[in-house]
Amino acid sequence: FELVGICRQPGEALAGAVGGLLIEAARHRLEPELGRRQFHSRLLRQGPVALPLVLRMEFGASLWQELAADAGI
């Protein structure tokens, strides 16, 4: 059933994959100073908000700019 959903809405699968990669990249940069628990707590604190906004609000615009540049966004 998941394959059918991916075929019907391929953008959703792509957005999920890109979001996962961005979260992983942010975690690798910030975990040494924040720790895993603090990183995830801050990431989830904003609730259901678009990932770029969460990264900007919680960790600063410079982190988002670095991640976006690295990803070619």
Side-chain angles (χ1 to χ4, degrees):
F1 294 108
E2 186 175 337
L3 181 59
V4 173
I6 290 171
C7 291
R8 288 186 181 154
Q9 295 180 324
E12 187 174 320
L14 178 62
V18 170
L21 292 172
L22 287 171
I23 289 172
E24 186 177 326
R27 185 173 57 92
H28 284 294
R29 288 184 189 221
L30 296 172
E31 229 177 49
E33 63 188 66
L34 293 177
R36 181 170 286 188
R37 185 177 297 268
Q38 180 68 16
F39 171 76
H40 286 285
S41 176
R42 289 181 63 183
L43 185 68
L44 298 174
R45 183 177 10 202
Q46 297 295 325
V49 180
L51 183 59
L53 295 176
V54 171
L55 292 174
R56 285 182 196 152
M57 290 187 293
E58 285 295 324
F59 305 111
S62 63
L63 174 69
W64 170 248
Q65 290 169 348
E66 290 173 19
L67 293 174
D70 290 349
I73 299 174

